[in-house]
Amino acid sequence: MTAWAKWPTEPRVAPLTSAGSWPYAVPPVARIPTLLLASFVVACGDEPASRTPAPSADREASAALVAKGEAALREADATGDTERLASAIETLERAVAADGASVLARQRLGLALLRADRTDEALPHLERATSLDPEIPEAQAVYGAALYALGDLEPAARAFRKAIDGGVQAPETLHTYAQCLEQLGETERAIEAYRRTLDVRPSYTASYLRLAQLYERMGDATSSEAALSQFYEWTSVETALRSARERARNAPNDVVPAVEVAGRELDVGAFDAALTWSRRALALDPVNFDAHYIAGIAARRLGALDEARAYLEGASQASPNDARPLLELASLSAAHGDRAAARETLERARARGASPFASGLVLRDLGDAEGAIAAFDEHVTLEPDHLDARLAKAGLLYERGRLADAAAVYEEVLALDPSHQGARSSLAFLREQLGGQGR
């Protein structure tokens, strides 16, 4: 088979658009993966105090315009609306005009221009932003994207490294950094960066394809086929998402396609877009359960906890017999140390028929490892083929130092699904820890 016949066309990756992981040790597969915030349009905080400020009125006007431009850019990202993108650029240009020393205004304008494939215009703004304050990681990430688009690989890699070291975890940044490394001939580091991209967003199809090709070049046919299989699986998911978006654009007053898009955006980890489409759906149907529920999960992943709580409570009211919103609320309370509220909400969820597996996840969040393990065992009794309950149990056993017991659970997973790469790699890791003695 020729190379062009085997390999599909690589998905086009925008320089920076919006934030089950690839298993290579026990910890990544020990828990059901929680998708991290992937949207790049995040707040950078106040302007640096070290620079000479513009007159306060100009700074205030610029900040207001940046907020307006960001909102338009988020909308454009979620909907693909080119008019909204043009509006965002025009607004952010006005923000820069109001305060030319604003790092945030120049960074956001550079990002919007990159979205519009106007890289040459973006670069001067990004260079200025990074010269005003080289320590802002988000500005370094956008600057790296511009340099990469212009083929300036080594400076791009340095900018990406600064951004990642500073905490940027947007999958677009990680993937493009991996591409930089690959083109610079640093294959092992590129593979590590592609895998890190997939830890952040497991649906990032371009990283699966690059991994498949790199593994094949290295002679690792098993890993190559596994990555290619994931590529095709997630490509089908993204194809369905594009179709749903088209239906929603063709029926702007119909809540059903808006909710479908929100749910599919959530599935691929595009939390900003999921929240945007959920809000659209709620504007059409203020008591829609699915829209409230999706918005609650997306807001929580974005760190908007009060908003998440409000949406989840709205979902619970919209469907008084559904346990899912209460489980999310219980988990939210557990994550913030309110154990009493978490347990009370969990009991309400159980009264609504919450599964032992879902209850076990909340108990795990509460730090009740033994209670969680018992709940996972109960679920396996009810559903003997349930893999996630076993994987969650194995993770807890590993964390508690019960390595042999964890290995036994991974063996159970492989007995049910011999192709499960996460369980296989985790079992190999544990056997190494146990000194290679069978289990």
Side-chain angles (χ1 to χ4, degrees), residues 74-100:
R74 290 176 189 272
E75 183 77 10
D77 282 346
T79 63
D81 188 333
T82 56
E83 291 184 4
R84 292 297 288 162
L85 179 57
S87 173
I89 291 172
E90 187 273 334
T91 302
L92 292 166
E93 286 174 337
R94 288 165 54 202
V96 170
D99 182 3

Side-chain angles (χ1 to χ4, degrees), residues 68-376:
K68 182 179 178 182
E70 280 186 336
L73 187 55
R74 290 176 189 272
E75 183 77 10
D77 282 346
T79 63
D81 188 333
T82 56
E83 291 184 4
R84 292 297 288 162
L85 179 57
S87 173
I89 291 172
E90 187 273 334
T91 302
L92 292 166
E93 286 174 337
R94 288 165 54 202
V96 170
D99 182 3
S102 167
V103 175
L104 192 57
R106 287 190 180 274
Q107 177 207 330
R108 294 298 194 262
L109 176 57
L111 177 60
L113 289 167
L114 281 178
R115 294 280 206 280
D117 292 326
R118 293 161 59 180
T119 307
D120 289 336
E121 296 173 62
L123 191 61
H125 293 291
L126 297 171
E127 288 176 336
R128 178 65 173 150
T130 54
S131 68
L132 285 166
D133 191 338
E135 302 304 317
I136 295 181
E138 291 82 3
Q140 291 288 347
V142 189
Y143 183 42
L147 291 169
Y148 177 78
L150 295 170
D152 206 351
L153 298 181
E154 290 188 1
R158 286 195 296 270
F160 284 134
R161 186 70 263 167
K162 288 181 182 178
I164 294 166
D165 288 346
V168 171
Q169 291 292 300
E172 292 81 6
T173 298
L174 296 168
H175 177 83
T176 312
Y177 175 55
Q179 288 181 301
C180 259
L181 295 172
E182 182 182 350
Q183 291 175 36
L184 289 168
E186 299 186 44
T187 302
E188 291 295 335
R189 292 179 65 201
I191 287 175
E192 179 184 351
Y194 284 130
R195 287 162 64 168
R196 188 171 176 183
T197 304
L198 295 168
D199 282 337
V200 173
R201 182 179 291 179
S203 64
Y204 210 79
T205 54
S207 287
Y208 285 118
L209 185 56
R210 297 306 313 142
L211 279 172
Q213 293 174 331
L214 285 174
Y215 282 134
E216 183 174 81
R217 290 176 200 164
M218 296 169 65
D220 187 346
T222 300
S223 295
S224 178
E225 290 299 325
L228 192 59
S229 175
Q230 288 292 302
F231 168 79
Y232 282 119
E233 180 178 340
W234 283 109
T235 296
S236 67
V237 171
E238 293 194 345
T239 299
L241 173 57
R242 286 194 294 272
S243 297
R245 286 178 184 152
E246 185 64 25
R247 288 192 293 275
R249 280 193 288 269
N250 292 335
N253 296 318
D254 188 346
V255 69
V256 174
V259 169
E260 181 186 0
V261 174
R264 292 189 182 279
E265 296 282 15
L266 186 69
D267 287 343
V268 300
F271 304 123
D272 266 327
L275 190 54
T276 296
W277 282 99
S278 295
R279 288 168 175 161
R280 282 191 171 195
L282 289 170
L284 296 169
D285 180 4
V287 295
N288 186 281
F289 167 81
D290 290 322
H292 273 288
Y293 183 64
I294 294 166
I297 296 174
R300 181 182 179 185
R301 300 298 187 268
L302 291 169
L305 304 183
D306 290 341
E307 188 177 7
R309 190 177 297 279
Y311 281 126
L312 292 168
E313 288 173 349
S316 183
Q317 292 169 10
S319 183
N321 294 320
D322 198 306
R324 289 173 294 167
L326 293 179
L327 288 165
E328 286 289 334
L329 285 166
S331 179
L332 191 60
S333 295
H336 290 84
D338 192 345
R339 299 174 61 85
R343 288 193 177 276
E344 185 274 333
T345 308
L346 177 58
E347 288 305 314
R348 290 169 55 203
R350 284 172 166 166
R352 292 186 182 185
S355 72
F357 173 65
S359 301
L361 295 177
V362 176
L363 290 169
R364 185 188 66 187
D365 291 343
L366 280 166
D368 183 357
E370 292 305 320
I373 289 171
F376 297 144

